[in-house]
Amino acid sequence: MPAYHSQFTSPPQLVANMALLPIRSQFKGPAPRESGDFDIIDEAVQFFKANVFFRNYEIKSEADRTLIYITLYITECLKKLQKCTSKNQGLKEMHSLSIQRFDIPGEPGFPLNALYGKCKSKNEEDTMRAYIQQLRQETGIRVCDKVFDPATDKPTKWWMCFVKRKFMDKSLSAPGQ
């Protein structure tokens, strides 16, 4: 069975070689506002459980690079959420995870530099950092909405069983974290 790829094949803008796609977001950032009810974050959350099993992922468009980053970030979110006892606590953890320092493509600590292009200017770096920050903030909220059972206010085992999985055998966090 092949991996799922992004349906957003013609992005309105590129940053380095990553698609800067519209998202439905309450956070400010460079991403255009999505008016529909399905965006790249919804797509990444929907395909996460299937794609996380793949060690190799063929990139078919620039939007796939965005999908890869969000998938890796969802894994980081699940690691943080496994220690949370309520959705409120989970939202706080997601906020702190989204604003902590992170590497962008082209920096030495970024795990997938071979697949992503390096930013050509300081302005492009700032746009990339702001876009990824916006993706992280919005993804954290949406993952919380999926992971926590509204009846019990506890994380569901159907999401927590993916905590130890590594998409493409990579992780956004340093080893041991």
Side-chain angles (χ1 to χ4, degrees):
M1 185 177 116
Y4 290 100
H5 294 276
S6 180
Q7 70 182 16
F8 302 101
T9 53
S10 53
Q13 186 179 349
L14 296 177
V15 180
N17 64 350
M18 184 172 161
L20 197 147
L21 296 161
I23 58 174
R24 288 182 295 109
S25 179
Q26 59 191 12
F27 301 100
K28 66 178 183 152
R33 298 276 183 241
E34 173 63 51
S35 57
D37 54 349
F38 192 77
D39 62 8
I40 187 71
I41 297 173
D42 292 325
E43 187 175 53
V45 171
Q46 178 183 343
F47 293 152
F48 174 79
K49 290 180 180 180
N51 280 352
V52 77
F53 289 104
F54 289 95
R55 289 177 183 229
N56 299 317
Y57 187 86
E58 179 187 358
I59 296 174
K60 293 187 175 181
S61 71
E62 288 80 9
D64 282 342
R65 289 185 178 85
T66 307
L67 190 71
I68 289 169
Y69 185 86
I70 296 171
T71 303
L72 291 172
Y73 184 68
I74 291 171
T75 304
E76 298 304 311
C77 291
L78 292 177
K79 287 179 192 175
K80 290 284 188 185
L81 291 174
Q82 75 178 345
K83 299 175 183 112
C84 296
T85 56
S86 69
K87 184 175 179 180
N88 225 7
Q89 184 184 6
L91 288 169
K92 289 177 186 173
E93 283 292 326
M94 292 301 93
H95 177 71
S96 66
L97 180 64
S98 70
I99 61 172
Q100 79 184 193
R101 192 201 173 292
F102 57 90
D103 294 313
I104 60 171
E107 292 179 348
F110 191 73
L112 294 168
N113 275 329
L115 302 176
Y116 289 79
K118 187 174 176 164
C119 295
K120 294 171 183 62
S121 67
K122 178 73 173 140
N123 189 29
E124 199 172 60
E125 276 181 28
D126 292 341
T127 303
M128 173 75 83
R129 191 169 299 282
Y131 180 58
I132 290 177
Q133 172 96 34
Q134 190 179 13
L135 285 174
R136 289 166 67 105
Q137 289 172 322
E138 191 60 40
T139 302
I141 288 175
R142 295 198 201 166
V143 167
C144 267
D145 289 341
K146 288 284 189 183
V147 168
F148 285 93
D149 181 14
T152 62
D153 201 34
K154 302 266 186 260
T156 64
K157 67 180 180 179
W158 305 114
W159 276 92
M160 291 297 106
C161 64
F162 292 96
V163 168
K164 295 201 184 307
R165 288 264 166 213
K166 283 187 171 182
F167 178 55
M168 298 174 64
D169 281 338
K170 300 288 183 190
S171 174
L172 292 178
S173 61
Q177 290 184 339

